[in-house]
């Protein structure tokens, strides 16, 4: 489904992704782990089409189509979904209006009729229950004043509404307490499907206790330095990144304190 | 090239229409005499600094637009309606109730006694030294509407005043409204400025409100004239004890748009809330100058203005709050945010605070920014088109103010005009 070949990307002239290679087939769940600053979010944003990042070389295809030449909105309509590490707050645009506009843009793309406000409200209420988000959040501004965990649940809610082909989840587990982690991982597990690929980006392996990946990759300094099955995550948990000869600033900083 | 004229052409000092009671004719004459040698604003005129270059008056524009046989656009409104065409009321097109406690009269129908009382009060709500064009209106009005609410009178539906200019020839119009809101009376007055025809015209309007103790007045003002209309308008308000004035000004740009809004809080406990939304595009201009005078103690003012400028347009906001020495315990809040939709657009904003009392709460803020790239990316990453994302974020900037417009039909009119603005400003890539 997703094929990444020798992807290089930079921001402000600084190279961040230094030759990523990755193949993900339909139905698979891949986890990308790596220390802070290794380029996980950059990879996620590049796949979604954020032009703050410049792709300097390489190739990315989704079901054979060149993804990199498409606009962000086209990628989304063709099934790419990114759950942001830091979802953006947009006061003045209601969450409900935002999600309905999004769902209808997708429906329009597929040649389906738009959902009216009442139909969408019904659907949104159901899905908000699934991620344990009070329907009152639908009336608020997009992510406006949401806690970290509420923002993440709101991202998963959108994934459930949009039913993407490729879901990229950028640290959807960070900042969650145990209960919220359970809700979010139930949401992600509900997304698992034969015709869908999931790319989970995470700094910690605790999400992988709830969502068992088919493959685990370790990203360090813009490159995938090791790939394996889920046992690789357990090994990282037990031995830390240093075991792979990777400097993890966060770990180093915390042990220095 | 001929140098730009520095004085108002004397062609502007010849009022038409003599069908007014004597005291009003006398007032007009007196105001006209005061305008001989009136300097036209230039770049050096402080309160016209950014806007003088847009003012282009020709002698052809000095002629009053003809009013005979015009019926106007016959808008349906959810409420009472008074139609003014080219500054003159059209009774056949107007529908309003004949009540004992709310008198709605055109100037021409006033008795000499009533007219003389009105003449005493016209212009008293405005600082005509700062707002010179209000003086021009007083020298030129051919008709006008006076609305007098007796104590406790409540107008049960909004009163729409449709000010239309029919620009089939070059000329000008000078509509005039005076509202005298008695003790504890209530009214919602909607003013819509519209135009038809394509010739270059000049509209010079003045609306005044005097609010007696406890009066509650809501004024919605929509400026929607065409690309051929230069419009200089002024609104003056005086407020006595515990009165409340709410203003919603929504303006769409033009070759020249100027609105001065002056509120005097003269009685303790008076409150005013001033909301403003301006959108400009192409090479349009819009200039809002507001002044709030806190004269009595314990008054509250809250002002929220938003400007959105696209393309090469130019929006100006100047908000002055003046807290007089005796106005202790004043609460004044002024907020102006500006959105530039293009690097070629210009917005000039200047909040001015003058405080002479020591026990007051005052806050003001002004910002200028662009649409947020991160927010745009978030929206388009959900399949929303760039155009729609732009519209959502631009609407987000003014939603709150549009939502506060207390008459649904007006809200719809505003939204329709905004949609036209978006169609032009954000064309599909
Ligand atoms: N917009 C940006 N401008 C400059 N540097 C950036 C920007 N975004 C990310 N970086 C840098 O790129 C590197 C990778 O960041 P990121 O992809 O966010 O890492 P991760 O998600 O793995 O923590 C870091 O060194 C970070 O400082
Ligand atoms: Mg990250």
């Amino acid at each position: 489904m997703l094929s990444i070949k020798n992807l290089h990307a930079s921001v402000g002239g600084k190279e961040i992704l230094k030759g990523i290679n990755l193949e993900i087939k339909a139905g698979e769940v891949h986890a990308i782990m790596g220390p802070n600053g290794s380029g996980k979010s950059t990879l996620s944003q590049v796949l979604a089409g954020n032009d703050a990042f410049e792709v300097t070389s390489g190739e990315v295809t989704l079901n054979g189509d060149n993804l990199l030449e498409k606009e962000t909105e086209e990628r989304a309509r063709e099934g790419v979904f990114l759950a942001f590490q830091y979802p953006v707050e947009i006061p003045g645009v209601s969450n409900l209006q935002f999600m309905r506009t999004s769902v209808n843009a997708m429906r329009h793309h597929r040649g389906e009729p738009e959902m009216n406000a009442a139909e969408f409200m019904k659907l949104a209420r159901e899905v908000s229950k699934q991620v344990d988000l009070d329907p009152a959040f639908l009336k608020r501004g997009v992510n406006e004043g949401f806690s970290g965990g509420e923002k993440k649940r709101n991202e998963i809610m959108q994934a459930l509404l949009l039913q993407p082909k490729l879901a990229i989840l950028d640290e959807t587990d960070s900042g969650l307490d145990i209960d919220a982690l359970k809700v979010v991982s139930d949401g992600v597990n509900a997304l698992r499907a034969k015709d869908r690929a999931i790319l989970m980006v995470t700094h910690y392996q605790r999400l992988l206790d709830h969502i068992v990946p088919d493959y685990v990759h370790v990203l360090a300094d813009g490159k995938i330095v090791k790939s394996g099955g889920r046992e690789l995550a357990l090994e990282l948990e037990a031995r830390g990144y240093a075991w792979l000869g990777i400097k993890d600033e966060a770990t180093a900083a915390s042990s220095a304190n | 090239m001929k140098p730009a004229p520095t004085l108002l052409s004397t062609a502007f000092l010849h009022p038409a229409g003599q069908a007014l009671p004597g005291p009003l004719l006398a007032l007009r004459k007196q105001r006209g005499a005061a305008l001989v040698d009136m300097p036209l604003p230039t770049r050096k005129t402080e309160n016209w600094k950014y806007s003088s270059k847009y003012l282009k008056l020709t002698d052809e524009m000095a002629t009053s637009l003809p009013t005979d046989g015009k019926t106007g656009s016959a808008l349906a409104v959810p409420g009472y309606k008074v139609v003014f065409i080219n500054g003159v009321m059209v009774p056949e097109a107007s529908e309003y109730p004949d009540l004992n406690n709310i008198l709605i009269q055109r100037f021409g129908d006033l008795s000499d006694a009533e007219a003389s009382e009105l003449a005493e009060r016209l212009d008293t709500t405005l600082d005509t030294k700062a707002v010179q064009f209000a003086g021009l209106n007083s020298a030129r009005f051919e008709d006008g509407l006076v609305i007098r609410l007796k104590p406790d009178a409540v107008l049960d539906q909004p009163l729409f005043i449709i000010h239309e200019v029919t620009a089939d020839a070059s000329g000008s119009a000078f509509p005039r409204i005076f509202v005298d809101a008695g003790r504890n009376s209530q009214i919602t007055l909607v003013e819509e400025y519209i135009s038809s025809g394509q010739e270059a015209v000049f509209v010079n309007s003045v609306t005044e409100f005097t609010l007696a103790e406890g009066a509650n007045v809501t004024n919605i003002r929509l400026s929607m004239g065409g690309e051929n209309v230069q419009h200089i308008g002024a609104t003056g308000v005086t407020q006595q004890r515990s009165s409340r004035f709410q203003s919603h000004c929504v303006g769409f740009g033009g070759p020249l748009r100027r609105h001065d809004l002056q509120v005097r809080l003269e009685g303790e406990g008076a409150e005013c809330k001033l909301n403003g939304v301006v959108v400009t595009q192409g090479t349009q201009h819009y200039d809002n100058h507001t002044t709030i005078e806190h004269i009595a103690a314990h008054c509250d003012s809250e002002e929220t203005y938003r400007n959105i400028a696209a393309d090469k347009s130019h929006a100006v906001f100047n908000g002055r709050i003046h807290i007089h020495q005796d106005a202790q315990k004043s609460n004044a809040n002024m907020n102006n945010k500006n959105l530039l939709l293009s690097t070629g657009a210009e917005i000039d904003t200047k909040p001015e605070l003058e405080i002479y009392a020591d026990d007051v709460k005052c806050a003001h803020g002004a910002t200028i920014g662009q649409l947020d790239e991160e927010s745009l990316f978030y929206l388009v990453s959900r399949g929303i088109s760039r155009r729609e994302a732009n519209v959502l974020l631009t609407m987000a900037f003014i939603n709150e103010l549009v939502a506060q417009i207390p008459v649904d039909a007006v809200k719809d009119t505003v939204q329709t005009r905004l949609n036209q603005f978006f169609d032009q400003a954000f064309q599909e890539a």
Side-chain angles (χ1 to χ4, degrees):
Chain A
M1 168 162 307
L2 179 72
S3 163
I4 304 176
K5 292 203 175 92
N6 193 30
L7 181 66
H8 289 252
S10 51
V11 57
K14 178 180 158 204
E15 180 159 73
I16 306 208
L17 301 184
K18 303 176 177 169
I20 304 269
N21 291 290
L22 188 63
E23 296 284 333
I24 306 184
K25 295 201 180 66
E28 291 177 353
V29 176
H30 289 233
I32 291 200
M33 303 188 64
N36 280 330
S38 57
K40 302 185 297 295
S41 290
T42 302
L43 175 62
S44 310
Q45 296 273 328
V46 164
L47 291 176
N50 188 344
D51 56 19
F53 301 90
E54 191 196 355
V55 174
T56 49
S57 65
E59 192 181 283
V60 180
T61 59
L62 183 72
N63 293 325
D65 283 350
N66 182 348
L67 200 63
L68 296 179
E69 71 182 12
K70 294 187 183 186
E71 297 290 343
T72 301
E73 58 273 29
E74 292 175 69
R75 298 183 197 195
R77 290 171 197 162
E78 287 168 19
V80 177
F81 177 88
L82 167 64
F84 283 57
Q85 179 174 6
Y86 303 110
V88 185
E89 296 198 18
I90 312 181
V93 178
S94 86
N95 212 15
L96 190 69
Q97 182 189 20
F98 159 60
M99 290 185 190
R100 183 157 85 93
T101 308
S102 163
V103 164
N104 279 335
M106 306 292 191
R107 292 177 69 92
H108 182 77
H109 178 73
R110 294 192 296 261
E112 295 168 10
E114 294 197 350
M115 281 180 119
N116 66 32
E119 288 169 326
F120 184 76
M121 188 65 193
K122 189 162 170 278
L123 174 68
R125 279 173 172 278
E126 278 165 25
V127 179
S128 67
K129 239 179 257 157
Q130 206 179 337
V131 293
D132 198 23
L133 207 53
D134 191 304
F137 282 88
L138 297 170
K139 298 253 158 72
R140 307 222 328 228
V142 175
N143 293 314
E144 187 183 1
F146 289 22
S147 72
E150 287 156 358
K151 284 180 181 164
K152 302 286 163 131
R153 280 184 276 162
N154 205 45
E155 294 293 284
I156 295 301
M157 169 160 177
Q158 292 166 52
L160 290 165
L161 280 171
L162 298 177
Q163 296 285 312
K165 287 191 187 129
L166 169 68
I168 306 159
L169 312 173
D170 189 1
E171 298 216 24
T172 302
D173 54 331
S174 60
L176 298 182
D177 60 29
I178 297 294
D179 294 335
L181 185 67
K182 177 85 173 66
V183 169
V184 163
S185 27
D186 286 351
V188 177
N189 282 323
L191 279 174
R192 286 185 96 140
K194 277 206 299 295
D195 54 356
R196 178 172 298 128
I198 299 179
L199 181 60
M200 274 192 314
V201 168
T202 176
H203 181 72
Y204 307 100
Q205 83 90 38
R206 60 174 199 161
L207 181 66
L208 308 182
D209 293 341
H210 297 86
I211 308 163
V212 181
D214 301 302
Y215 297 93
V216 174
H217 311 275
V218 179
L219 186 69
D221 193 23
K223 278 191 193 144
I224 290 179
V225 295
K226 194 164 179 66
S227 295
R230 80 159 299 229
E231 68 289 346
L232 178 55
L234 297 173
E235 193 134 21
L236 281 171
E237 169 81 345
R239 301 169 67 178
Y241 288 108
W243 155 66
L244 289 169
I246 300 167
K247 221 172 52 218
D248 181 0
E249 281 158 34
T251 319
S254 58
S255 57
N257 287 338
Chain B
M1 209 169 79
K2 223 167 54 174
T6 55
L7 298 179
L8 179 71
S9 165
T10 50
F12 279 91
L13 300 180
H14 303 293
Q18 304 297 318
L20 288 169
L24 291 175
L25 287 175
L27 173 93
R28 224 169 58 166
K29 196 163 172 189
Q30 186 227 334
R31 293 292 196 272
L35 294 180
V36 175
D37 296 340
M38 169 180 152
L40 283 173
T42 67
R43 258 185 315 127
K44 296 199 177 108
T45 314
E46 185 55 32
N47 62 350
W48 274 86
K49 187 155 82 176
Y50 300 109
S51 298
S52 61
K53 64 179 173 194
Y54 297 98
L55 181 63
K56 288 171 188 151
L57 299 180
T58 62
D59 280 4
E60 292 79 64
M61 272 180 223
T63 321
S64 292
L65 285 165
T67 54
D68 293 345
K70 307 274 188 195
T71 50
S73 301
L75 295 181
V77 302
Y80 305 122
K81 175 163 80 166
V82 172
V83 173
F84 268 74
I85 295 190
N86 300 336
V88 173
M89 183 181 159
V90 184
E92 310 86 86
S94 304
E95 291 163 41
Y96 55 89
D98 184 15
L99 302 166
N100 292 330
N101 58 353
I102 302 177
L103 306 171
I104 302 174
Q105 290 168 288
R106 60 191 298 193
F107 286 5
D109 291 342
L110 297 174
S111 70
D112 271 11
E114 288 168 325
S116 129
E117 198 186 316
L118 177 66
E120 291 287 308
R121 300 183 66 187
L122 286 180
D123 290 342
T124 54
T125 65
L126 284 158
D127 172 1
T128 44
K129 278 207 190 63
V131 190
Q132 277 183 313
F133 283 93
L136 178 60
N137 177 285
S138 301
R140 286 292 302 269
F141 63 76
E142 283 153 50
D143 196 359
L145 197 71
V146 54
I147 301 168
R148 285 179 292 162
L149 293 106
K150 295 199 172 152
D152 303 311
V154 176
L155 190 64
D156 61 338
Q157 291 185 54
L159 172 62
F160 285 73
I161 302 185
I162 310 293
H163 289 287
E164 179 167 348
V165 282
T166 59
D168 303 320
S170 208
S172 45
F174 300 90
R176 182 79 183 217
I177 310 292
F178 192 90
V179 180
D180 172 12
R183 193 166 38 77
N184 296 328
S185 65
Q186 276 186 46
I187 185 171
T188 296
L189 188 79
V190 183
E191 297 172 81
E192 293 193 14
Y193 292 89
I194 59 174
S195 68
S196 54
Q198 302 302 323
E199 297 300 322
V201 296
F202 175 53
V203 177
N204 178 210
S205 58
V206 173
T207 303
E208 294 182 86
F209 297 91
T210 59
L211 280 67
E213 181 177 341
N216 189 342
V217 172
T218 298
N219 177 217
I220 307 176
R221 183 184 192 273
L222 303 186
S223 176
M224 305 188 295
E227 297 291 335
N228 51 324
V229 181
Q230 298 183 58
H231 184 178
I232 300 180
T235 303
V237 185
T238 58
Q239 293 189 242
Q240 304 313 317
R241 179 184 277 271
S242 302
S243 62
R244 182 170 162 75
F245 180 75
Q246 234 195 89
S247 149
H248 303 265
C249 289
V250 181
F252 296 86
L256 169 86
R257 295 277 189 274
R258 170 64 178 253
H259 184 220
D260 283 85
L261 169 56
Q262 301 199 324
V263 180
R264 296 170 60 84
L265 300 167
E266 295 178 342
E268 287 195 8
E271 278 174 48
C272 71
K273 179 178 170 73
L274 313 181
N275 285 352
V277 172
V278 161
V279 298
T280 55
Q281 64 191 152
T283 55
Q284 291 173 346
H285 162 263
Y286 206 111
D287 179 346
N288 270 309
H289 267 63
T290 67
T291 303
I292 301 170
E293 302 277 356
H294 277 263
I295 297 159
H298 295 281
C299 291
D300 289 351
S301 66
E302 195 187 318
E303 176 170 11
T304 315
Y305 267 65
R306 300 279 180 270
N307 291 316
I308 300 174
D311 308 323
K312 292 186 168 145
S313 62
H314 187 180
V316 181
F317 172 78
N318 187 289
R320 177 164 174 262
I321 295 177
H322 179 188
I323 304 199
H324 296 234
Q325 201 173 346
D326 294 334
Q328 300 297 356
K329 307 281 182 196
S330 290
N331 249 317
N333 227 312
M334 171 166 55
N335 180 284
N336 169 237
K337 287 189 188 157
N338 299 285
L339 179 61
L340 286 167
L341 292 179
S342 125
T343 49
E346 179 178 345
I347 295 179
D348 295 287
T349 171
K350 187 173 173 201
E352 292 180 61
L353 246 58
E354 277 177 60
I355 304 175
Y356 299 101
D358 42 36
D359 185 11
V360 301
K361 272 200 206 131
C362 254
H364 71 93
T367 60
I368 303 185
Q370 285 158 292
L371 289 181
D372 179 50
E373 282 299 328
E374 268 190 67
S375 303
L376 273 174
F377 177 66
Y378 189 67
L379 295 176
V380 297
S381 83
R382 299 303 186 243
I384 296 170
S385 70
R386 297 230 169 223
R387 181 191 180 279
E388 183 122 32
N390 281 320
V391 171
L392 282 172
L393 293 181
T394 307
M395 268 318 292
F397 190 73
I398 50 174
N399 262 340
E400 195 192 334
L401 294 181
V402 176
Q404 285 178 35
I405 296 173
V407 179
D408 284 346
V410 177
K411 235 184 277 187
D412 294 346
T413 305
V414 167
Q415 191 62 57
T416 304
R417 283 295 299 246
L418 285 171
N419 292 345
Q420 289 168 11
F421 171 83
F422 296 140
D423 284 345
Q424 300 271 324
F426 306 121
Q427 281 161 24
E428 200 68 68

